[in-house]
Structure formats: C-alpha cells, structure tokens
Amino acid sequence: MKKKATKEPVRLREKKLNNGNLSLYLDYYNAGERQYEFLKLYLMDKPKTALDKQSNQATLELAQRIKAKRTEEVLLGNFDLQSKSLSATDFIKFYQAYITTYTKADNRVLSASLNKFKTYLKEAHGKEKLSCKDLTQNLVLGYKDYLETKLTGESPQTYYNRFKKVVKHAIRENLFSKSPLPENIKFKGGGMNKGVLSLEEVSLLSKTACGSEVIKRAFLFSCNTGLRFGDIKALQWQDISGTELAIKQNKTQEVNRLSLNQNALKLVGERGNGKDLVFPLPSFEGSAKTIKNWVKRAGIDKRITWHSARHSFATNILLLGYDIKTLSKLLGHTSIQHTQSTSALQMRERHRL
C-alpha cells in the first residue's frame, strides 16, 4: 500500500510585486485554518550580478530559517500567529534587502551608510549581526557619535539620514514595537554647511582651468539651472528641445520643464544624438575631487561641493528678485514649504560666508 504523503504545515511562498521583485511569505495550514505571515523579505526576480545572487541567497536562507522555526512551533502545538513578533529579524539583512529594491539616485550613499553601520557594530560592539529588538536608542546615539568622530563635514549627517530612512521603513513594516530613533538629534555644524557661490565667483570659475572640460561645463550648467548631479549625469540630448529642457528628476520622479538661458545653452555644447549623454561625467567621487581642486585653483576660499551649484543657483535667483513660487518650480520641489525652509538656510549661509 502506497504511503500517503504528509502535508507540510508551513510552506514558503512568493508573491510578485508591481516592481517585479518577489515578496516572501509563509502559508500556514493549522487546525483546519489557513493563515499567512508576510516576512518583509524580498528577492530580485531576475538577479543579474554575482552580488545580486548572493543577496537573494542570503535572504532566502533567512526565510528558510523562519519557516523551520514556525514548522517546529506548529508541530509542538504552541504556534500562535497573532503573538508572533518580527523583532527578531536581522536588521543588517533587512537593511541590505531594502537597498536591493531601492531605485532612487542616492542608492550609492545608502549602500555606503550600511557599510559604515556594519563597521561601527564590529568596532564598538564586536558584532556582525543585530536583531531589530537589539537596536536601541543608546546604540543609535552611539552610532551618531561614531559618525562624528570618524567623518567630517556633512558626511555624518548624510550617513545618519540614510540610516534613519531604513529604520523608518522597518518601523512601518512592524519590525519594532517602538521607535529606536532618539528625538531631536543634532549634529555639529547644524546641518547645512555648504558654501554658496556668488555670481562673481561663478564667473571666476568659468575663467579658471578645471582639469576636465566636461565636469566644468556640467557644474556651471548646474549653477545656471539648479539641477542635481544625478539629473545632469543622466541628461540625454532627447531631453532638450530648442531652448526647453524636460527631465524626470531622479529624486522626486517629477517631470520638470525648464527654459534654458543663453549661458546654459552654450554650456551644453554641440548637439549629439537622441540618447547620447549631454555630459558624460565620471563618478560622483571623481567629479567632486576635480571640483575641489578647481575651486582652490580659482582662489575661492569656500568648501564647495557639487550640490553647492544648486544652492548657489537658488540663492542668486532670490537675490535677483524672483519670488519663492518661481524658485520652487525651477528647483523642481514638490512643495513651496520645502523651498522656503531650504532657501532660508541658503541665505543664512550666504551672509555667514
């Protein structure tokens, strides 16, 4: 007589999401009732690189371990889905999974923030893993202090803000019973600390040798349009029609239309084919290093980053008498409130310098 197969009480299943990735969940059949537990773990449907495949494998192994634990609980009769907490989830793996499915322009900075947090865990606590329940406010404050000790300028706040973005996502996914983020954290230097270029200094830079003609043109183009590095790096000739530029911003995903002034039109150079890049720039790090040397060569004693071009554009627009609503549209902000708070900081920085 053929032996009847035993039905698995817990099965690991996949649900395809709108972005093409796969959400992992457990399907329970216990005491005649069917229940589901979504694990908040995600796989790439078609991983391309070795790193993507490695990330998928790690995520799948974590899901299999959770499945094994739930199966044991069902068989022992002490299973209660309602009492299950996701606080035992490995925060590092969750962080990595979040990065894997993150598509915005600051993905590079997000990855760097994870590496910095892992270094902090190892150096300060001797750990390579961390469950969500062990991510306490004291540990977060320690990480903030670590960033300020190891990094300079805006980097500590930049890394912390990306870390906070991931924690807030984990909170929405119910991985924490209460927020581990301390309130009212302030960094030395008070946030925005970027130099702002006057119109005279922008003109001085245009007359100074840069070391890279494409970086020089792209930076000055940003000073004339307020576009971010990621948007300029992705800019194609098909985005420019006559004197109008239409671009979908990486950060907001909003389509922004700008009328290019004569300076901006000269900076784009001779027109190329539709999908060719207008400014074939190197990496952000390489561009930033070139700009730093260029500013120094021009004799400008300010800490100028690529983003300073956008801040300088906004400040100079206001000084020329444009209203806040016009500036908001030019910058591609989704709200005037954002523009108001940003421009206030820029003007204070301008007067401080």
Side-chain angles (χ1 to χ4, degrees), residues 194-237:
K194 297 182 178 70
V196 175
L197 294 164
S198 67
L199 291 174
E200 292 76 16
E201 287 167 333
V202 173
S203 178
L204 178 59
L205 281 176
S206 70
K207 298 172 185 176
T208 303
C210 174
S212 169
E213 188 62 24
V214 68
I215 292 176
K216 179 178 181 177
R217 290 191 300 108
F219 184 84
L220 294 173
F221 186 78
S222 181
C223 289
N224 278 269
T225 61
L227 290 180
R228 301 176 180 88
F229 174 84
D231 295 322
I232 290 180
K233 185 175 175 64
L235 186 64
Q236 299 176 344
W237 284 108

Side-chain angles (χ1 to χ4, degrees), residues 221 225 227 235 239-247 256-260 268:
F221 186 78
T225 61
L227 290 180
L235 186 64
D239 300 322
I240 301 175
S241 177
T243 61
E244 185 180 74
L245 180 151
I247 186 169
N256 197 21
R257 296 183 182 278
L258 298 173
S259 292
L260 300 179
V268 297

